[in-house]
């Protein structure tokens, strides 16, 4: 499926079609000419949409998938996320409108004016084990049941460039595998997932990975009020809760840079995937000058996006 079609459809819920950038397809799960299979931990990523009447059956099937995948060699984790809204910060809305789209997609689905949108992350220790799991075939069989709209789904294989939590940053294969088998966004935690989609020219991949890893470190480390702020309180070393009325925010719970394993049309796609305690923690972080300055180093390389939907996790299974 072409990303521009999937994400443009999602944008209808927010009334922002004109503002949505186009995305080339990133839906390849096999190496192209001159490409090699990725090494180390990998993610099989799906995006799909379906009408509300199929929700319960779909979730039952995803529970079955989680149980089936947990038996497979090399399985690290699986998380299913329901798209609920969109970031206003990445659209450069004025700060008085921050959070106005936080439940736009979910509200539209409840009104039966839009389908439901889901993202699925299946993590494995290596590409070989991922392929042997037959997860792609399982998902394809499930989606055939839900009619024409649901057959037009996206899938792709991604590698984790870097990840982080409130303890440290993960970059080696061993560290990344450890991170991926211990995902923290269990539904009971009610965390907000942010999944920022961008694309670059593949020739810039090495430089972009270096610059984006530096941004991840800043995103994982910053909070408000910070040391030096007039209202800093040492009793809150990871920041204070954000709200519409303030610019406080707590550190991201986790952050991750996912890069498509295979290029398409000379382009490589990325998911800047992270979890926050609340919408306001995320939105306020993007008002912080430290974060904004770091983002500026990436802009010259981005040729598609950014598109930054919000999600809530509905299923999480760790190894």
């Amino acid at each position: 499926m072409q990303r521009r079609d999937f994400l443009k459809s999602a944008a209808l819920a927010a009334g922002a079609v004109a503002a949505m950038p186009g995305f080339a397809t990133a839906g390849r799960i096999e190496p192209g000419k001159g490409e090699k299979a990725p090494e180390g931990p990998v993610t099989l990523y799906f995006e799909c949409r379906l009408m509300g009447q199929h929700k319960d059956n779909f979730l039952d099937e995803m529970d079955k998938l989680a149980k089936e995948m947990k038996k497979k060699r090399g399985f690290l984790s699986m998380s299913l996320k329901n798209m609920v809204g969109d970031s206003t910060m990445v659209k450069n809305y004025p700060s008085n409108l921050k959070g106005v789209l936080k439940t736009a997609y979910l509200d539209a689905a409840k009104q039966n004016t839009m389908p439901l949108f889901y993202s699925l992350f299946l993590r494995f220790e290596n590409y070989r084990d991922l392929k042997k799991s037959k997860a792609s075939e399982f998902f394809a069989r499930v989606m055939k049941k839900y009619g024409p709209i649901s057959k037009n789904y996206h899938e792709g294989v991604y590698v984790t460039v870097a990840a982080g939590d409130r303890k440290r940053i993960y970059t080696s294969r061993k560290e990344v595998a450890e991170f991926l088998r211990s995902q923290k966004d269990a539904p009971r935690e009610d965390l907000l997932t942010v999944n920022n989609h961008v694309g670059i020219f593949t020739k810039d991949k090495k430089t972009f990975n270096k610059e984006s890893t530096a941004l991840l470190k800043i995103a994982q480390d910053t909070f408000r009020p910070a040391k030096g702020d007039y209202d800093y309180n040492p009793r809150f070393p990871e920041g204070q809760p954000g709200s519409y009325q303030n610019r406080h925010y707590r550190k991201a719970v986790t952050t991750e840079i996912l890069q498509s394993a295979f290029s398409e049309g000379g382009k490589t796609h990325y998911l800047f995937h992270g979890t926050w305690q609340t919408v306001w923690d995320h939105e306020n972080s993007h008002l912080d000058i430290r974060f904004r300055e770091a983002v500026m180093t990436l802009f010259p390389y981005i040729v598609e996006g950014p598109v930054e939907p919000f999600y809530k996790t509905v299923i999480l299974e760790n190894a």
Side-chain angles (χ1 to χ4, degrees), residues 243-254:
S243 76
Y244 179 77
Q245 289 81 18
N246 65 35
R247 291 202 175 191
H248 298 166
Y249 67 95
R250 292 163 288 195
K251 287 184 179 182
V253 178
T254 62

Side-chain angles (χ1 to χ4, degrees), residues 15 24 65 68 70 123 128 142 146 170 207 216 251 285:
L65 177 62
E68 187 69 24
K70 195 166 184 178
R123 324 298 201 129
R128 180 186 63 257
V142 169
Y146 304 136
Y170 305 87
T207 301
L216 179 144
K251 287 184 179 182
S285 75

Side-chain angles (χ1 to χ4, degrees), residues 38 65 67-68 83 97 106 151 163 204 246 272 280 284 318:
L65 177 62
K67 291 180 174 63
E68 187 69 24
M83 189 186 295
L97 294 178
L106 194 57
K151 293 178 182 178
D204 296 324
N246 65 35
F272 286 80
W280 307 115
N284 286 349
N318 284 319

